[in-house]
Amino acid sequence: MTHHSSERPGKIVCVGRNYREHAKELGNEVPKEPLIFLKPPSSVIRSGDAIVMPGASSQVEFEGEIGIVIGKRLTGASEDEGRAAIRGIVAVNDVTARDLQKTDSQWTRAKGFDTFCPLGEESSTFPALDDLTVVTRVNGTERQRGRSSEMVFSIPALLANISRIMTLEPGDLVATGTPSGVGPLAEGDSVEVEIPGVSRVTNTVTRSR
Ligand code: ZN
């Protein structure tokens, strides 16, 4: 079953540095607790829409991620309760203005521009949570490949942890972090994030004028 694509998450909770090799490639340590931030729902686009690089940035990068769509309200949840509350899985591109992420001490601007959250179709049919794969391709060339088994914090652990900070509500999205291999996008590129057999999102890149 897929949910119709016009639905927008109530909130988008993202996880930073949840793969050891990605933390390393940006010169960061793996955090002791999940490092979370929010993307605004207004950043959501769908497959086929354009990612618009803003004039404020000269380094817009892709981050392919496994997205978890919440189906049941979670507050102070256990890992088992978190697992049971998952409604579906969706491919996410956590598009990031890397230069602004480095210069700003808060990531709201770097992560929050319009079009910076391409989402694939949601699927309620998916492999075991520790057996998901995410692949990113730019112009058909594979650039990232990560497995949920490589995450620093597992999907149920993330849901439990986040629900102790903020209530997760039906329709909310949790983006679970990106594996290594992130890199810049250029005008005219086609970028695709795929969770094989589950969800895929493909977008072309333009520049604002
Ligand atoms: Zn990310």
Side-chain angles (χ1 to χ4, degrees):
M1 183 178 82
T2 55
H3 283 260
H4 63 93
S5 61
S6 59
E7 187 194 354
R8 217 177 228 190
K11 61 180 172 292
I12 304 166
V13 186
C14 299
V15 181
R17 303 172 191 163
N18 199 29
Y19 290 81
R20 211 165 293 282
E21 289 304 308
H22 170 65
K24 205 195 289 182
E25 76 180 341
L26 296 182
N28 296 309
E29 300 284 321
V30 165
K32 291 186 173 60
E33 284 189 281
L35 171 63
I36 65 168
F37 57 95
L38 295 166
K39 277 172 100 80
S42 48
S43 63
V44 169
I45 59 172
R46 297 290 168 174
S47 208
D49 296 337
I51 296 167
V52 181
M53 298 191 294
S57 173
S58 55
Q59 191 185 2
V60 173
E61 299 200 347
F62 56 85
E63 293 192 359
E65 307 198 6
I66 296 165
I68 308 298
V69 183
I70 303 300
K72 273 187 243 162
R73 178 180 289 257
L74 286 176
T75 305
S78 67
E79 294 190 16
D80 282 344
E81 289 165 340
R83 192 182 285 108
I86 296 171
R87 187 179 83 187
I89 303 281
V90 67
V92 182
N93 192 345
D94 173 21
V95 179
T96 302
R98 193 72 66 203
D99 47 356
L100 304 182
Q101 187 186 25
K102 286 172 185 157
T103 56
D104 294 355
S105 61
Q106 299 278 336
W107 297 353
T108 305
R109 178 167 72 142
K111 299 282 192 174
F113 285 98
D114 287 357
T115 77
F116 271 27
C117 193
L119 296 185
E121 288 291 324
E122 176 186 340
S123 178
S124 58
T125 308
F126 46 85
L129 291 178
D130 59 357
D131 199 23
L132 294 164
T133 299
V134 60
V135 180
T136 308
R137 299 178 195 89
V138 178
N139 303 323
T141 301
E142 185 172 308
R143 303 289 298 276
Q144 292 186 285
R145 178 174 287 265
R147 300 183 54 77
S148 54
S149 58
E150 301 162 347
M151 289 178 179
V152 177
F153 300 101
S154 70
I155 290 167
L158 290 173
L159 298 180
N161 180 280
I162 294 165
S163 82
R164 289 194 286 269
I165 302 162
M166 60 188 81
T167 295
L168 289 168
E169 294 172 320
D172 284 353
L173 174 69
V174 176
T176 58
T178 199
S180 61
V182 296
L185 293 166
E187 193 168 6
D189 281 348
S190 172
V191 57
E192 176 175 83
V193 178
E194 182 180 20
I195 301 169
V198 178
S199 181
R200 179 164 57 170
V201 61
T202 308
N203 305 89
T204 54
V205 179
T206 62
R207 184 163 274 291
S208 71
R209 58 188 94 197

